[in-house]
Amino acid sequence: MPKCIQNSLSDQVYTMLKEQILSGQLKGGMKIPEESLAEQFGVSRTPIREAIRRLSEYGLITIKPRSHAIVSIITEQEANDIAKVRVTLEQLAIDSIDDASYAENVKELSRYAADCQYAMGIGDRATVFEQDSLFHLALVRSSRNSALINICERLDAKIQQLRIAQNLPEDELSYYLSQHSQMMSLLRNGDKEACKQLLYEHITHDLTRHIAGNRT
Amino acid sequence: MPKCIQNSLSDQVYTMLKEQILSGQLKGGMKIPEESLAEQFGVSRTPIREAIRRLSEYGLITIKPRSHAIVSIITEQEANDIAKVRVTLEQLAIDSIDDASYAENVKELSRYAADCQYAMGIGDRATVFEQDSLFHLALVRSSRNSALINICERLDAKIQQLRIAQNLPEDELSYYLSQHSQMMSLLRNGDKEACKQLLYEHITHDLTRHIAGNRT
DNA sequence: GCATTGTGTACTGTATACAATATTGATATC
DNA sequence: GATATCAATATTGTATACAGTACACAATGC
């Protein structure tokens, strides 16, 4: 799903900065002065400012007015809060899916589920998380509810940050991924209630047990 | 609930621009060139740009890259989509409210409900809508779920736009407002299921029947 | 008359310069 | 030694200037 043509410097900086935060290269609590970023990216402060402001709307950066911006720190409480909202929203998505949109999206969903499994097999966690995000976003898109899609896409950045902070052990992550295809077969059989229940477990299962502490 | 100290020009422009859009002074589809806004507000293009970009994140403005920005147009489909999401989110809020947080927020909720009724009595629709928003946001805040609160606050701008576009007839609006206190008494009695059901009716009841057409 | 191309204008995107404020560290005071 | 005060510095907030692109409209060819 191409989000933007990415021709403007603002967009490019936005994408790269987001990647640096989600990859852990920029850690929670770190100061990010505009000028040093401008030097790093070889652009002026203007596109940097725009990217920072956009990312702050997504909760990945916290701006202290007239002072400085830091990479947001995710707390255990916040993780729980997000999980609850996420379950609710994705359950709404499931409720909204009809046969036609399921048929239209089933191929995409299977591919993401398979790619997740494959990446897990070769121990590539970054790809696992990426494909997992894509799976859930595709599920949400199947709802065809534009407002829902919007909110979930915007929440996705925070969820990615969360997934990384969670640092789930291999066996749990693997189990968790196997639920993707289970959810799909439940959907195919039209058993939405079971699917929603499984989704709940999929998302909230021991969510915060493994949250890694954020250091400043 | 103070959102921001509002000392920066960007914030001020943001607030005023938002008001102009929600008051209908700036109509859906209208072009909003940075320079003319800059002149109007007596500031440079920089704070204007930042305000426009922020409002575009909230869906109130649509930016056509390298071309121009317009005031977003709300469609009937979008209105329905938002309503569904809104019901879901506010129902989650109701589920999350416990006795303590209800006790803490009941005064605020009653005040907003009462102010709504009063404003309705004197035919001040702008205040009705404003207080209605505050009522629902206070309800959501009672959940103490920061992620939920965030999303609902961000969705609020779009909901306000929607309420205005709806242009509900007086009797319906009046009936709709009376449900506020009903919801509160259900909450007080701990009957969350009934409260959620009423909320559903409150929000989706004939939602799009009166949507006013947007002109370019 | 209609499509196509070219040109001018208007607007956005970005860089830079300046102003205003917060932070830091040193100094003074208790 | 701890706290308060102040100056120097670093960083943000805003204005302005310039470059590049999209759009409108006229000119040209069919």
Side-chain angles (χ1 to χ4, degrees), chain B residues 7-78:
Chain B
N7 36 9
S8 82
L9 291 179
S10 291
D11 288 347
Q12 290 174 39
V13 171
Y14 167 81
T15 304
M16 292 165 84
L17 208 50
K18 187 173 161 188
E19 273 172 16
Q20 288 195 7
I21 293 172
L22 292 179
S23 74
Q25 200 173 335
L26 287 173
K27 291 192 174 53
M30 270 177 87
K31 274 194 195 179
I32 37 179
E34 293 171 5
E35 192 139 35
S36 62
L37 285 181
E39 257 177 69
Q40 182 190 332
F41 289 117
V43 298
S44 80
R45 274 178 55 215
T46 310
I48 301 286
R49 271 181 82 80
E50 297 193 348
I52 287 180
R53 267 151 181 74
R54 244 170 100 195
L55 285 166
S56 90
E57 295 290 335
Y58 286 74
L60 248 44
I61 285 178
T62 305
I63 294 174
K64 318 253 178 183
R66 274 176 215 287
S67 177
H68 59 269
I70 63 168
V71 178
S72 298
I73 295 167
I74 200 161
T75 64
E76 197 169 322
Q77 179 64 51
E78 209 179 349

Side-chain angles (χ1 to χ4, degrees), chain B residues 133-200:
Chain B
S133 257
L134 289 173
F135 178 87
H136 285 274
L137 288 178
L139 186 75
V140 170
R141 268 199 302 278
S142 305
S143 74
R144 293 175 166 155
N145 181 319
S146 62
L148 181 59
I149 294 167
N150 237 300
I151 292 173
C152 287
E153 283 180 347
R154 111 170 283 113
L155 199 59
D156 180 58
K158 221 45 193 163
I159 290 170
Q160 286 189 48
Q161 196 186 20
L162 187 57
R163 260 193 283 257
I164 293 159
Q166 256 182 287
N167 199 27
L168 277 178
E170 192 135 340
D171 55 340
E172 283 192 43
L173 182 56
S174 187
Y175 171 68
Y176 164 95
L177 294 182
S178 70
Q179 295 176 323
H180 285 161
S181 50
Q182 287 180 50
M183 280 170 24
M184 287 185 64
S185 57
L186 287 171
L187 263 186
R188 186 171 43 244
N189 297 336
D191 193 350
K192 288 187 175 179
E193 288 311 312
C195 185
K196 282 156 66 179
Q197 177 57 35
L198 182 57
L199 178 84
Y200 168 77

Side-chain angles (χ1 to χ4, degrees), chain A:
Chain A
M1 168 124 299
K3 309 218 80 176
C4 199
I5 308 112
Q6 296 273 47
N7 36 11
S8 82
L9 290 181
S10 291
D11 287 347
Q12 290 173 38
V13 170
Y14 167 81
T15 303
M16 293 165 86
L17 209 49
K18 187 173 161 188
E19 272 172 16
Q20 288 194 8
I21 292 173
L22 292 179
S23 73
Q25 201 174 332
L26 288 172
K27 291 191 173 52
M30 272 176 84
K31 272 192 193 179
I32 39 178
E34 293 170 5
E35 191 139 39
S36 62
L37 284 180
E39 259 178 64
Q40 181 190 331
F41 289 118
V43 299
S44 80
R45 276 176 54 213
T46 311
I48 301 287
R49 271 181 81 81
E50 295 193 348
I52 286 180
R53 268 152 180 74
R54 244 170 99 194
L55 285 166
S56 89
E57 294 290 334
Y58 285 74
L60 250 42
I61 285 177
T62 306
I63 295 174
K64 318 254 178 181
R66 275 176 215 283
S67 176
H68 59 269
I70 62 169
V71 178
S72 297
I73 294 168
I74 199 162
T75 64
E76 196 170 318
Q77 178 64 50
E78 210 180 348
N80 278 314
D81 287 352
I82 290 172
K84 277 194 195 134
V85 173
R86 195 184 163 201
V87 168
T88 304
L89 290 173
E90 294 196 19
Q91 285 181 340
L92 171 60
I94 290 172
D95 272 329
S96 308
I97 295 174
D98 57 29
D99 290 345
S101 65
Y102 178 76
E104 198 178 294
N105 290 283
V106 63
K107 265 179 83 172
E108 198 185 355
L109 284 164
S110 325
R111 192 173 69 243
Y112 294 138
D115 286 355
C116 258
Q117 294 281 11
Y118 178 75
M120 189 69 213
I122 60 171
D124 180 359
R125 283 176 95 92
T127 305
V128 168
F129 292 148
E130 191 188 314
Q131 298 297 314
D132 182 38
S133 255
L134 289 173
F135 178 87
H136 285 274
L137 288 178
L139 186 75
V140 169
R141 268 199 303 278
S142 306
S143 74
R144 291 175 166 154
N145 179 320
S146 63
L148 181 59
I149 294 167
N150 238 299
I151 291 174
C152 288
E153 284 179 347
R154 108 170 287 115
L155 201 58
D156 180 59
K158 218 52 191 158
I159 291 169
Q160 285 188 49
Q161 197 186 18
L162 188 58
R163 262 193 282 257
I164 292 159
Q166 258 183 288
N167 199 27
L168 278 178
E170 192 136 339
D171 55 338
E172 283 192 43
L173 182 58
S174 188
Y175 171 68
Y176 166 95
L177 294 182
S178 71
Q179 297 176 324
H180 284 161
S181 50
Q182 287 179 51
M183 281 169 26
M184 287 183 64
S185 57
L186 286 171
L187 263 186
R188 187 171 43 245
N189 297 335
D191 193 349
K192 288 186 175 178
E193 288 310 314
C195 186
K196 280 156 65 179
Q197 178 57 33
L198 182 57
L199 178 83
Y200 168 76
E201 289 163 20
H202 181 64
I203 290 177
T204 60
H205 174 64
D206 289 307
L207 182 78
T208 58
R209 223 176 51 195
H210 307 279
I211 283 274
N214 285 289
R215 55 216 134 298
T216 54

